[in-house]
Amino acid sequence: MEKLQRNMAKIRNLLNVKIFKLLLFVVLGIVLYFSMFANVRPEMLNLSLFSVSEQTIRSPITVEDKESTELKKKEAENQVQDVYVVKKEIAQNRVDLVTSIFSSATEVNDEIEEDMADRERAAEELAESTDDEAAGIEEPTIDEKLSLMKEKLTEGVTKEVSDQSLRALLQAGQDELSIAQDLTVTTINNVMQSRIPADEVENAKKRLEEELKLTSMSTGLKTAAIELGRYAVYQNEFYDPAATQEMRQQAVESVEPVKILQGQILVEQNQLISRDVYRQLDLVGLTDNENSIQSYIGLLLMIVLILGAIYYYFHEHNVSEEKKQSQLLLFSLILILSTLLMKAISFFHDLDYSEIVYIFPAAMGVMLIKILIDEKLAIFFTIISTVCGCIIFNEGITGTLHVTAGIYILCSGMAGILFLTNHNHRSKILQAGLFVSIVNIIVIFSLLFLRNGQYDPLEYGFYFAAALISGIASAVLTIGFLPFFETGFGMLSAMKLIELSNPNHPLLRKILTEAPGTYHHSVMVANLSDSACEAIGADGLLARVGCYYHDIGKTKRPQFFIENQMNIENPHDRLPPQTSKNIIIAHAADGAELLRKHKMPKEIVDIAEQHHGTTMLKFFYFKAKEKGLDVKEEDYRYPGPKAQTKEAAVIGIADSVEAAVRSMSNPTPEQIEDLIKKIIADRLQDGQLNECDLTLKELDIVAQSFSETLNGIFHSRIEYPEMTKQKVKEA
């Protein structure tokens, strides 16, 4: 163990040099990269067009098949029929046209009658004035009427409608013509209310003809009405390109993209690789794996991201440089250990044990980090392990990431952190493993049920056993590795501190039995230091445990210290000041030596050695001066060193404050506060706090914390009647 500790110390010292720190990150990156290299390497498939597949091939990714999507869109577009619309205004226009033809015939007849009446009146007037008989006025012939009517009609009408039909209209009576007009217009309107495409115009005309044949018009007028009706019936259904395009666009937009889903079977075993199948294989990147480097670049970027996050965390970590190097090296070793263990377990995939991931002790590294360093870094470690697990355990599944494995590792690691948050005893690690096992079982079965698959009892039994083994193995491995890491790195974990605070520890029992006054004093100083360190963000637990051992050197000569001089004479009264001084000063060095002998953590040894710093024993110094001895001030000072950490500085102040307050009788809060400020001011003026990073603001907080704690201890008490009576009797 000592050799391991020395070797680790040498490595930590090397990490102070930037090149060696860079080398550590390079080694970590190489281990991570090559652990996952084989898991991202594209599968080499011997595929060629029109060959027979030797295996069932599934798609490794989800990708859109754009060619199939376009074909589907074209099919949807072609299935849309041309859109035709009925123009109802055409029917009205044709009705108006036929009406105007009938009106023209009526107008011609009316004009001729009016003209003849005018001519008859003119002739009668002329005859009266000449006394001659009026000449007979002849009515215009039918051809003349026809000419007048054609002048009123358009050229298109005169070409399409025969003269015979127009003559029939001119020869018909007014009432008969009106009836013929109504019948013709009504029939035209009825026929043209229905759709009349171009190929149905003749049928529509025949329907009109049949209807008009059933009317009671005269033969000539009926023939004219039929001809006019046939002339009026016209196509009213026309192709609408805008509406057709809109419908086709809607059909195209409604087509869902054709996707090749991850895990979808592209070709079955012994199936011919057709041109379309080969195109799909090429689309998902399975036809040219030799030149594909995207997976390797992706893995490299992931490793760089992980290493960058680790570097940033430790760069910003607010701890001493020595502690930072130890934590970085420890974190890297545990990450490498966990990754290699993942890789070793993943090899069982080749034996068709695809669910072997559930045996992996995912909580081991997390619990080690939580115990040896802190909770925040343990969460960070869990995230990195989850990412690595998703890639390393992806054998036997489709795709690059085994998401189920990632969820399992994440939940298992978080379970270990949650349990150890409030259970820091080493004896609780196995309980933490059982807790992790329970969480593992719940996670596995939840994932199984989410798949909605069918499993036999043997498979359920395997999953249950795997989850149980994972949790227990995590605890066992944690217990096994913990002493090596604690010793090799000199790590002082919270769990170790709690164990050292156990009153049954041999050194604490030694203090309690050999120097009970010192033990009580140490407990009081521990209460003061713990609360003060917590108030300024220092390690309160370390301060408390350090206080328990800080005066263990007094057990060498317990009777020479006032707290242990109960009902005995003070031996210093019979000793010269130089001898008393040597005995008192020696307790710091004696305590550090005793702690080193019992292999106590360096932090505890440093507190015992530094809690007095280089302060002066003023009592014996002035006593020597009073005796007229030639003394030097530095001879009556502790050898030091001065406090190097906040915890050691706070403990040194608390040690002096507790002793001073204990010597006061019925101290008031004001007296306690003044005493604390005086002691802190003396320490500052004497330069005892120059080598630690305590700020003046933090010293104010420490003084306030001491006051609150001491006021709680030395609060005023009620004087009970029994006590009063006893005092009266004694008086």
Side-chain angles (χ1 to χ4, degrees), residues 40 111 117 174 176 212 214 228 243 264 336 409 462 508 552 731:
V40 300
E111 289 175 358
Q174 186 65 35
E176 188 180 11
L212 290 178
L214 299 176
L228 287 174
Q264 177 180 329
I336 291 173
I409 293 172
F462 169 78
L508 289 185
I552 194 169

Side-chain angles (χ1 to χ4, degrees), residues 620-661:
F620 294 109
Y621 173 75
F622 288 116
K623 184 177 180 181
K625 295 282 284 185
E626 289 174 0
K627 290 187 176 184
L629 299 175
D630 184 17
V631 294
K632 297 179 181 180
E633 183 177 313
E634 57 268 22
D635 293 336
Y636 283 80
R637 285 185 177 272
Y638 282 90
K642 295 178 181 179
Q644 304 295 307
T645 63
K646 291 182 179 182
E647 292 81 6
V650 171
I651 291 171
I653 298 171
D655 185 52
S656 298
V657 167
E658 195 280 332
V661 173

